[in-house]
Amino acid sequence: MTPPPLPVTLDDLIFPADQHASLSTQLHALHASSNSAANRLRSIHLDALFVAAVADAYARPVFANERAGTWYVPPARTAGSCYFKSTDGHAGEWSFSLRRLNLHVLDAVGRNDGVIIVDTTRRGKRMPDALSKTIPIWLTVLNRVLFPTQKAFHSLPTPPTTVSHSEAAQISAQLNAFTIHFTNLSLDLATIRAVLTKPLKPLWVTPSTPLPLSPPFFADFHPLILVTASRTTPHAEIDYVQGAADDSEAWAHGLTPSLFWAHAPLLLGTPPTDLPSLIPTLTYPSPTLSPSSSSAPHQPTRIPPTNLHIALSPSSSPPTNPPSKPLLITISTDSTRSTTLDLALDLQTPSKKPIPLHRSLPPLLEKAVSFLLTSHPSSTWSTPSSSPYILISSPPPPSSETSSPSPKPANDTDITLAIALTLLTLFYADDGQYLPVPVSIPVPIHSPAAVHPPLSSRSPTPANDNNGNDKQSPTINKSLTKRRLAWLAAAAPLETGAMRGRVLGVVNNFVMGGGRGRDYS
């Protein structure tokens, strides 16, 4: 006997007619109804009204914390996104992430005397670890580096109702090490110091927090208003889901935050049973509203202080007058997509099955390095502005602007960033000057007949500085890779923040081992 369909609305919430149905079956039916896509979207919309009230009360720009936080801020009201992961604040796993520096947020903080950061968490927690611990760790490290004399802001601030004194003490014991790690990146902080006039301090806001009647001003610090969008529900509720946006891949049927806000009235008014068939038909009302379309092409992102660029946006196009002849490296699933590129790296495998990153990525890195070696085997570039213009780009998505999941391989961005990180490590000095690699490294690197020393033991290769003096190549080690990773994180914060941690390990193994002794079959 076929069991009756699970209820999808409150009106349809009827326990199974089978008198022998178990209690667990009945509870499962209730859970399925309360966690339906329709119920989640209604809960998100309700929480977004609270977020809007906070934005009005504090009158600061709103940043949505990727990924769940983006659902609670309509695109018209967001100043941007940030990427503070809750895992960096999990008990015993506390970290100051060098991949998620979020330095772009600081410019908005300084110019607007603070920002609002929105996130959420599922039932069972008061607020996400990203707001209670990850961001406090981050801002404390920045305060120590940027405002070394203001000791009052060097201690870790945490919400006392969420973080225990014991856990706060354990995190505080690691702050010195986190600060050293950040300092060792040797970033140019002059621009940040020019914008930030006061230390940073978090203010936690939840739906139970009274809001100010007028936007507050704080003379001693820039406030980071950390907003937990959802109210706490100790027990499951039929018509409300705490942290409804969490794990959207499992319930959204391909719906995205921007598409949700473009069609919110329609989606909220559609019967729950019709949502799965409606969502794939949705399109953006205007091309300018689409996150992957624009009336004008985006310029590729330059990685200061170098002349290397990455094009992670599908509409990116190279400048009309690059400073030198472009060297283009395209990450493509179709090697015949364009005949004008200098090199196409084919990500498509004959079996169409994903292969482990440690096996798929090194051959691509070798091709990229070999390409650059053959293009400029013995050139000397005196300044970053005269170094070769290098563009690394990802493939474009399908032309249809629907909510259907894109067939673009999920690791395209990772591979783009991995190639950029490899080239930054091997070919650039700390000031961004292009450095030719010694001719003792044969080309191609992956040739079976090639015999060469590891790149980490290469002899220093002189390059002229601005005064005509010889400059030495930096020593290749994990510290150097982290410093180059910081360049990427500063230029492309969201993409670098989302990069899989395994990518950094593969790049480290490649640049320090020269790719020798590996079986790529």
Side-chain angles (χ1 to χ4, degrees), residues 129 132-133 156 158-169 171:
D129 286 344
S132 63
K133 289 174 284 188
L156 179 73
T158 56
T161 58
T162 304
V163 181
S164 67
H165 292 295
S166 173
E167 185 175 9
I171 299 174

Side-chain angles (χ1 to χ4, degrees), residues 86-94 129 133 167 170-171:
S86 283
T87 52
D88 293 330
H90 285 178
E93 303 293 333
W94 313 290
D129 286 344
K133 289 174 284 188
E167 185 175 9
Q170 294 178 67
I171 299 174

Side-chain angles (χ1 to χ4, degrees), residues 211-244:
L211 299 180
L213 299 178
S214 60
F217 170 76
F218 305 93
D220 298 329
F221 60 88
H222 291 302
L224 268 63
I225 297 95
L226 309 182
V227 181
T228 301
S230 302
R231 61 182 175 86
T232 303
T233 56
H235 308 287
E237 298 183 8
I238 293 178
D239 57 350
Y240 179 77
V241 181
Q242 179 183 346

